[in-house]
Amino acid sequence: KVTAVEAEAFYVRLREKKSQSFAARVLKDMRFLFNRAIKQNIIVYNPALAFTVTQPEPRTQKWEPDQVERAIKVGWDAGFRGAAVALAIAYDTGLSSADIRALTVGEVISGAWIGARTKTGVGYSVKLWPETLKLIEQYHDYLGVTPMPEALVVRSRRGKPFLKHRLSRDVRI
């Protein structure tokens, strides 16, 4: 049986050894699991709810254009070409990685990307820079694929669709 004191001590150790955001994510999962145990009559209370979890401050950093260009070039040269193209698209459009992973060649019309947000279904039309369109073309030439309308614009290094967290991992490298 886990007590509130033990749960809080665990949280404090996570904050000290890892980070505030990591500890907050782990506690979120822990609270979920304890709530499931309550629903299954395994325990009677959630010890992880007995204390406050401090959430990290939201990020406020913005990349400068030269930083983005350098990251795209480094990614491209290191073999992370799909991630480099995704980063260029994200910088141009400000759309999420979920939207970029779902982008198809048929949605890029006359230099604009016309589609609907993956999670909300809200429509959008955003302009892509000529440099980004050229990078997409170079990327497809590198892959040796003929861009069909339903083909994904970006793919993993293995040529497959990016999984949910794989794109963000490739961008971090």
Side-chain angles (χ1 to χ4, degrees):
K1 194 166 190 173
V2 179
T3 67
V5 173
E6 292 167 332
E8 186 171 15
F10 175 69
Y11 167 67
V12 169
R13 278 195 311 275
L14 278 178
R15 282 190 58 167
E16 291 169 355
K17 293 191 184 238
K18 292 286 190 174
S19 69
Q20 183 180 9
S21 60
F22 180 80
R25 282 194 310 270
V26 168
L27 256 290
K28 177 182 172 187
D29 293 341
M30 213 166 111
R31 286 175 170 178
F32 171 80
L33 290 172
F34 281 131
N35 284 335
R36 295 291 298 181
I38 289 169
K39 287 179 183 174
Q40 294 180 4
N41 295 320
I42 297 170
I43 60 175
V44 293
Y45 80 102
N46 187 336
L49 292 174
F51 55 92
T52 304
V53 175
T54 307
Q55 296 296 325
E57 292 293 320
R59 289 182 255 174
T60 57
Q61 288 181 316
K62 293 183 182 177
W63 284 26
E64 297 295 324
D66 62 316
Q67 290 175 302
V68 176
E69 290 169 12
R70 189 169 49 251
I72 292 168
K73 182 176 180 354
V74 167
W76 185 271
D77 293 344
F80 294 90
R81 292 189 164 109
V85 170
L87 187 57
I89 293 169
Y91 189 70
D92 278 3
T93 64
L95 294 173
S96 71
S97 63
D99 294 325
I100 293 167
R101 287 193 326 268
L103 173 64
T104 63
V105 173
E107 293 174 323
V108 179
I109 300 167
S110 302
W113 178 10
I114 300 167
R117 301 292 305 251
T118 303
K119 292 184 179 178
T120 63
V122 174
Y124 58 81
S125 174
V126 291
K127 184 89 170 133
L128 294 171
W129 286 91
E131 294 87 352
T132 302
L133 292 169
K134 183 178 176 187
L135 190 64
I136 292 169
E137 188 177 314
Q138 289 174 340
Y139 175 59
H140 288 163
D141 288 346
Y142 167 79
L143 291 176
V145 297
T146 304
M148 302 299 283
E150 61 281 344
L152 295 173
V153 172
V154 293
R155 299 179 185 157
S156 71
R157 288 177 286 155
R158 293 184 178 147
K160 297 182 177 179
F162 273 108
L163 299 175
K164 185 176 182 180
H165 299 292
R166 188 70 235 180
L167 176 57
S168 61
R169 286 186 200 134
D170 279 5
V171 168
R172 280 193 292 259
I173 294 173

